[in-house]
Amino acid sequence: MKFNALLLSLAAVVAVPLVAATGVGQAPAASYFSSAPHLVNPEKAPIYAATMAGQRIVAVGDYGLINLSDDGKTFRQAKVPTRAPLTSVFFVDEHRGWAVGHDGTVLGSSDGGENWLVLREMRGQDQVLMSVWFENAEHGLAVGQFGLALETHDGGKTWTERSLVAGEAGEGHLLHLAPVGNGVLLVAGEAGSILRSVDAGAHWVAIQTDNKGSFWTGAALADGSVLMAGMRGHVYRSVDHGEHWAEVPSGTQQSLTGISQRPDGSVRIVGLSGASLLSKDGGQHFSASLRPDRAGLTAIAQAAGGDLLFTALGALFRESF
């Protein structure tokens, strides 16, 4: 199953339980699509992605929900002017950030995620953005289904559609933007493809790995190596900034959704059915385990003293180092 299809199916699963579990109030019909629903228990919201804005955790998910936490324990909702499912969030500093999702939606915040503005919206059109990244406060990229790629040079006020590469790699779903540093930028794609740019997204080439499944997530590590992970537990590692890749045995066949490097240098990868991988040598080897509850993990973020794990089924976990 492709990741955007996974999000759609999970959204359908949680659509009914969300009201009972989180206490969604009934919004007036005229404003139904203009703001995210208010939740009594926002910590139980379905979450698809999370990041840090300085020391603040910003997590995005279904129905336009954006949750904020300054301590990794308690959460509150941000003011969000959309109900489109949100799939990715990125901050360049503690103040400036962007979130993207369904309906070609792009949101922007200048106050650490407390308030958001709609910068782009294609309501009713089949546009799903899966990942967003900004080089600085002005230049950014967003990618999504069927090769959809957008670029801005004015902080997200205006966006231009782009074709990154020709052929199948450029027409398939583009699932995750992974910055490596020094202008190198990678995109996790379908069928084992990885798009690579060495000039912050101005030009791209397609790299075909021997992986037959899609990559869903990627991250650069402190030692300069890069990891890509995705369907059926496949993990690939590069030591030359994404030019060449080799598979690393993961010990699981569960699809993987998030990568995080801890302050001690160890690497954690999480995924569906409670999959959790741990590496203490920069991603060269992993030990795998499954959570007893088999919770489908969709995102991971670092909180003070532990990993913060999110799911798309209305649960949140915090685990100590």
Side-chain angles (χ1 to χ4, degrees), residues 65-286:
L65 300 174
I66 298 181
N67 286 341
L68 310 175
S69 177
D70 295 312
D71 59 8
K73 300 176 183 178
T74 58
F75 281 78
R76 66 186 186 281
Q77 274 188 263
K79 296 179 180 179
V80 184
T82 184
R83 289 202 174 198
L86 301 174
T87 57
S88 179
V89 58
F90 185 89
F91 275 75
V92 293
D93 54 36
E94 63 181 327
H95 302 295
R96 294 291 303 273
W98 298 262
V100 300
H102 290 223
D103 296 333
T105 301
V106 181
L107 307 177
S109 174
S110 59
D111 58 5
E114 296 284 358
N115 298 275
W116 296 81
L117 294 174
V118 175
L119 302 177
R120 182 184 188 271
E121 189 176 45
M122 305 293 288
R123 191 178 297 174
Q125 295 191 24
D126 189 19
Q127 286 196 2
V128 180
L129 292 167
M130 299 302 299
S131 187
V132 62
W133 164 85
F134 270 70
E135 179 186 14
N136 50 49
E138 299 299 320
H139 177 230
L141 293 167
V143 297
Q145 67 171 8
F146 302 115
L148 176 62
L150 307 175
E151 185 170 26
T152 180
H153 290 279
D154 57 11
K157 296 176 183 177
T158 59
W159 294 82
T160 302
E161 288 197 30
R162 289 191 53 190
S163 176
L164 299 189
V165 297
E168 292 185 7
E171 296 172 356
H173 298 324
L174 306 177
L175 302 173
H176 185 81
L177 283 155
V180 176
N182 296 320
V184 178
L185 183 63
L186 306 175
V187 175
E190 283 193 286
S193 67
I194 297 172
L195 306 189
R196 182 174 185 262
S197 172
V198 297
D199 51 13
H203 303 87
W204 295 86
V205 297
I207 297 171
Q208 184 60 50
T209 70
D210 58 7
N211 181 20
K212 302 302 182 184
S214 297
F215 289 112
W216 287 359
T217 186
L221 305 184
D223 65 0
S225 63
V226 189
L227 296 177
M228 284 282 184
M231 292 181 66
R232 295 190 291 275
H234 289 296
V235 177
Y236 279 66
R237 181 172 182 262
S238 172
V239 295
D240 57 7
H241 302 99
E243 191 170 0
H244 300 90
W245 297 85
E247 185 169 11
V248 178
S250 69
T252 184
Q253 293 187 356
Q254 300 297 330
S255 295
L256 304 171
T257 58
I259 302 173
S260 177
Q261 188 166 29
R262 294 165 162 177
D264 65 2
S266 62
V267 179
R268 180 90 176 271
I269 303 180
V270 298
L272 304 185
S273 298
S276 179
L277 310 180
L278 181 64
S279 172
K280 296 183 178 181
D281 59 5
Q284 297 181 66
H285 303 86
F286 285 92

